[in-house]
Amino acid sequence: MAQVKNYNLDQKFDFTDAVKKVIFILGGIGALLLVLGILAAALGGDHAEEGGHAFHWTQRLFANLWINNVYFTGIAIIGVFFFAIQYASQAGWSTALLRIMLSFGYWLPIAAVLMLVTFFIANHDLFHWTHSYVFDKTNAEYDRIIDGKGSFFYWPMEKGTFPIFYIVRMVLFFGFWVFFFNKLKSLSYEEDLQGGTSYWYTIRKWSAIFLVFFAVSSSISAWDWVMSIDTHWFSTLFGWYVFASWFVAGLSAITLVTVFLKDQGYLEMVNQNHIHDLGKFVFAFSIFWTYIWFSQFLLIYYANIPEESVYFIERLSSDVYGPYIFVNIGLNFVLPFLVLMTRDAKRHNIFLKLVCTLIILGHWIDFFLMVQPGTLGHNGGVGLMELGMLLVYGSAFAFVALSNLSKHNLIAKNHPMLEESYHHHI
């Protein structure tokens, strides 16, 4: 380890006032846009939606809260997931980056509160299955299909009352995600103090357990939080699809933070080979996301079954959402595919900054397309409210991650594979 010790392994990130100022300015701009968007929607008044149901501007606010809650929850849990992957796969190249991944997990407790509060306030405006009349066979709006799925939300209580099974799953998922994050975090920080290899083996064990739980919980949470918005529709690929979108966004965020720290003079151990590997992950899983997107679309298009194809028809044939389908494909596949195809592009910060920023925006649009059509119909769109909410959440997430990153060593200095990371070359 003699060569490694040439570096300052006790280095900490200084979360300076200048960096905080930038985050606060972005958050302030977001808050201003959000207020202006709310005022514009409120002054526009209510208007009747198709079918005679009244539309209120608060529904758009709630839909935006749900989009950002789910999206940033995903980026947070992907940080923990990618951290666990490094240990389960016995990877050494990424040792110098582990603390960046781990810092994302600090958002999870906040995300849990936001998700639960939003659901309890806005459930009727987000999920059609929360209305009791769809389960009442004597009601003119009784829905046989939703009634058949009701037990998945309400068991063991009567359908249309309190969705206890749904809430229990949400609490369990967040509870275990926070538990695993805290366990991995405490073991990683303890390793800094004690050294040796025992902590590495313990973290690997807990990482493997977490990955098994994550495989199940991430899919079911995708069904609960997103797919159930369009209650009649379902896709057996949807859990994979949401995971892929989360994963690419999370990888892009990890890459951006890494490049930012390098630009600030931190992470001396991290060289262009580490940056190249991050670029390869972003490039590869952008293609993976596209593969899942196209697989889901092609199977539904080819079968042409009305109850399946309606999901895409609602989006493609809409003047509100149709253009964003192509923006989604452009930002999340065409751009990273063309820009990051070459070796040199994956090793230059300017390309990674541009592509990763646009991918984070692109996958927000992906979740926008998953949520808004089913909650708002033709009353949705991207406006001041959407942009403002995204900036507010993004700024809050960045502040939480960076402030906690600054409290501990940037490098896992007693990690047994630190030497391997130091000599990483591809």
Side-chain angles (χ1 to χ4, degrees), residues 98-213:
L98 291 173
R99 293 292 160 75
I100 296 172
M101 306 169 198
L102 204 57
S103 68
F104 287 14
Y106 285 96
W107 181 257
L108 286 172
I110 299 170
V113 174
L114 290 171
M115 284 286 286
L116 284 165
V117 170
T118 304
F119 180 80
F120 279 114
I121 293 174
N123 59 82
H124 289 315
D125 293 312
L126 295 171
F127 301 96
H128 187 55
W129 56 263
T130 59
H131 295 279
S132 58
Y133 58 76
V134 300
F135 302 101
D136 183 1
K137 294 182 179 179
T138 64
N139 193 293
E141 296 195 58
Y142 167 74
D143 192 306
R144 181 177 58 84
I145 294 175
I146 297 179
D147 188 23
K149 299 179 179 183
S151 296
F152 183 68
F153 305 116
Y154 290 98
W155 181 88
M157 297 184 69
E158 183 181 349
K159 298 173 188 176
T161 53
F162 181 75
I164 187 169
F165 200 18
Y166 181 94
I167 295 298
V168 165
R169 286 196 299 272
M170 186 184 292
V171 171
L172 282 176
F173 294 160
F174 273 110
F176 276 105
W177 289 349
V178 171
F179 165 77
F180 281 116
F181 163 66
N182 285 328
K183 188 70 178 178
L184 295 171
K185 174 190 68 176
S186 61
L187 287 168
S188 182
Y189 294 149
E190 191 67 23
E191 182 183 56
D192 274 0
L193 301 175
Q194 306 299 333
T197 59
S198 62
Y199 285 97
W200 183 86
Y201 284 107
T202 305
I203 296 173
R204 188 180 67 164
K205 178 187 71 176
W206 280 104
S207 294
I209 297 170
F210 165 71
L211 291 174
V212 172
F213 180 79

Side-chain angles (χ1 to χ4, degrees), residues 67-88:
I67 292 167
N68 288 283
N69 284 340
V70 175
Y71 183 53
F72 285 99
T73 294
I75 294 178
I77 194 61
I78 287 300
V80 184
F81 168 79
F82 202 47
F83 176 91
I85 284 286
Q86 308 312 310
Y87 281 89

Side-chain angles (χ1 to χ4, degrees), residues 265-420:
Y266 299 100
L267 300 177
E268 305 104 311
M269 287 182 62
V270 175
N271 55 45
Q272 290 306 108
N273 300 289
H274 298 90
I275 302 297
H276 186 185
D277 271 347
L278 288 174
K280 286 194 294 185
F281 269 108
V282 172
F283 176 76
F285 282 95
S286 293
I287 296 173
F288 175 73
W289 170 85
T290 311
Y291 164 71
I292 297 295
W293 186 95
F294 187 69
S295 296
Q296 181 173 261
F297 175 81
L298 184 64
L299 290 171
I300 291 174
Y301 173 84
Y302 184 78
N304 199 25
I305 300 172
E307 56 266 33
E308 294 180 354
S309 59
V310 65
Y311 182 85
F312 288 101
I313 290 172
E314 284 179 342
R315 288 155 174 80
L316 283 168
S317 63
S318 168
D319 292 336
V320 177
Y321 305 108
Y324 291 104
I325 294 280
F326 300 99
V327 173
N328 191 25
I329 297 296
L331 290 179
N332 296 326
F333 170 62
V334 177
L335 176 78
F337 181 76
L338 294 178
V339 176
L340 295 182
M341 185 181 292
T342 66
R343 172 185 171 89
D344 287 343
K346 301 184 190 75
R347 303 171 75 89
H348 284 83
N349 291 357
I350 187 65
F351 288 111
L352 290 173
K353 287 177 185 177
L354 173 66
V355 172
C356 290
T357 301
L358 291 175
I359 284 175
I360 289 171
L361 174 62
H363 281 284
W364 179 89
I365 291 173
D366 194 24
F367 277 89
F368 156 81
L369 288 169
M370 291 185 228
V371 173
Q372 272 209 14
T375 55
L376 302 180
H378 65 269
N379 296 298
V382 176
L384 295 177
M385 194 184 296
E386 285 72 25
L387 295 175
M389 187 80 77
L390 174 60
L391 282 174
V392 168
Y393 267 80
S395 300
F397 183 93
F399 183 84
V400 170
L402 292 178
S403 62
N404 284 284
L405 184 65
S406 68
K407 295 176 182 177
H408 301 276
N409 289 347
L410 269 178
I411 304 292
K413 64 179 183 179
N414 283 321
H415 193 288
M417 294 187 183
L418 195 59
E419 182 81 10
E420 181 179 337

Side-chain angles (χ1 to χ4, degrees), residues 9-86:
L9 299 183
D10 291 310
Q11 187 180 57
K12 290 187 177 182
F13 167 59
D14 181 14
F15 193 22
T16 62
D17 290 339
V19 176
K20 292 177 183 176
K21 183 179 179 180
V22 172
I23 293 175
F24 289 146
I25 289 173
L26 289 174
I29 293 171
L32 177 61
L33 293 176
L34 178 59
V35 170
L36 291 175
I38 290 172
L39 288 174
L43 293 175
D46 298 349
H47 56 279
E49 192 173 333
E50 293 175 6
H53 295 289
F55 171 79
H56 195 270
W57 66 266
T58 54
Q59 292 172 246
R60 186 160 177 170
L61 178 66
F62 294 150
N64 279 297
L65 282 169
W66 198 254
I67 292 167
N68 288 283
N69 284 340
V70 175
Y71 183 53
F72 285 99
T73 294
I75 294 178
I77 194 61
I78 287 300
V80 184
F81 168 79
F82 202 47
F83 176 91
I85 284 286
Q86 308 312 310

Side-chain angles (χ1 to χ4, degrees), residues 230-272:
D230 296 274
T231 322
H232 281 202
W233 181 80
F234 69 91
S235 166
T236 54
L237 277 172
F238 200 77
W240 279 105
Y241 181 76
V242 169
F243 163 75
S245 195
W246 274 350
F247 195 35
V248 180
L251 288 170
S252 299
I254 290 168
T255 304
L256 277 181
V257 175
T258 302
V259 171
F260 164 73
L261 291 173
K262 284 291 292 179
D263 287 347
Q264 297 292 312
Y266 299 100
L267 300 177
E268 305 104 311
M269 287 182 62
V270 175
N271 55 45
Q272 290 306 108

